[in-house]
Amino acid sequence: MSDIDLAALVRTIPNYPHAGILFRDITTLLLNGPGFAQCIAQMAASITDLPDCVAAIEARGFIFGAALAQSMGIGLVLLRKQNKLPGRVVGINYALEYGIDRIEMHDDAVRAGQQVLLVDDLIATGGTALAAVELLRGAGAVVTQSVFAIDLPDLGGGARLRAAGVAVHAQMEFAGA
Ligand code: AMP
């Protein structure tokens, strides 16, 4: 595996989308072919027990989730924003800093007892990932592993996910919000 400094490929944009946020922009990592490939290879290598499928969170999670599922040779479940999926769905609402959001998946996307690996680009407070875990577990899936390109440990999402029984693997960490 190459030894590229992945964190150096992530661009930080201050005060986006709100004042005080340091937005970690992964588009600059994606532009770097060897860097993106190394990131996916590291994510795959961090998972020792092969799950049955990957579940990725819209939208940036799809980028990492699709590449990871393809490299691991397993299927991909899309966890989408409200009203995006064409078939029958199950969904869950979750609280944001201001307001409520909702993610949905097809009601036949996972089977009871399936081992599902949760994937997103970044974990901050963990609200999105925890909602995804609840949605998947509600459908009978077993969720014990998650993988992110980036963790913002000071926001506590990783700790919240671990407290819910989900191991957290992240390729990069950035201090602060
Ligand atoms: P959270 O639910 O707080 O863990 O937020 C996770 C989601 O919000 C991820 O899907 C990220 O894409 C996005 N996000 C939160 N904070 C940031 C940040 N500082 N930079 C980039 N994306 C972020």
Side-chain angles (χ1 to χ4, degrees):
M1 205 185 292
S2 53
D3 191 21
I4 298 164
D5 178 2
L6 298 181
L9 297 176
V10 174
R11 175 168 58 183
T12 297
I13 302 183
N15 302 315
Y16 179 88
H18 304 293
I21 303 284
L22 290 175
F23 191 86
R24 306 300 180 175
D25 175 21
I26 50 92
T27 65
T28 42
L29 166 64
L30 301 178
L31 283 170
N32 186 300
F36 183 36
Q38 180 182 310
C39 184
I40 297 301
Q42 284 182 203
M43 287 170 121
S46 71
I47 305 302
T48 44
D49 295 325
L50 188 68
D52 295 308
C53 63
V54 164
I57 302 171
E58 185 168 1
R60 288 184 292 273
F62 290 177
I63 300 163
F64 293 93
L68 189 57
Q70 200 274 338
S71 85
M72 296 175 97
I74 57 178
L76 175 65
V77 175
L78 300 185
L79 305 180
R80 298 214 60 180
K81 303 208 162 114
Q82 191 165 16
N83 297 328
K84 296 286 187 185
L85 288 166
R88 276 203 336 220
V89 299
V90 286
I92 185 166
N93 294 337
Y94 61 99
L96 298 173
E97 195 178 354
Y98 303 106
I100 287 181
D101 215 339
R102 181 175 177 82
I103 48 171
E104 297 178 338
M105 68 176 178
H106 277 140
D107 68 358
D108 57 358
V110 296
R111 287 189 309 279
Q114 265 194 320
Q115 299 275 346
V116 178
L117 170 64
L118 182 67
V119 179
D120 204 357
D121 65 325
L122 179 148
I123 182 160
T125 66
T128 312
L130 279 165
V133 170
E134 203 177 318
L135 178 62
L136 289 160
R137 286 181 174 166
V142 178
V143 189
T144 57
Q145 306 238 59
S146 64
V147 62
F148 303 86
I150 298 170
D151 182 16
L152 306 182
D154 296 341
L155 295 183
R160 290 176 72 198
L161 215 49
R162 282 187 283 272
V166 182
V168 177
H169 306 277
Q171 309 319 308
M172 292 164 261
E173 288 189 356
F174 292 97

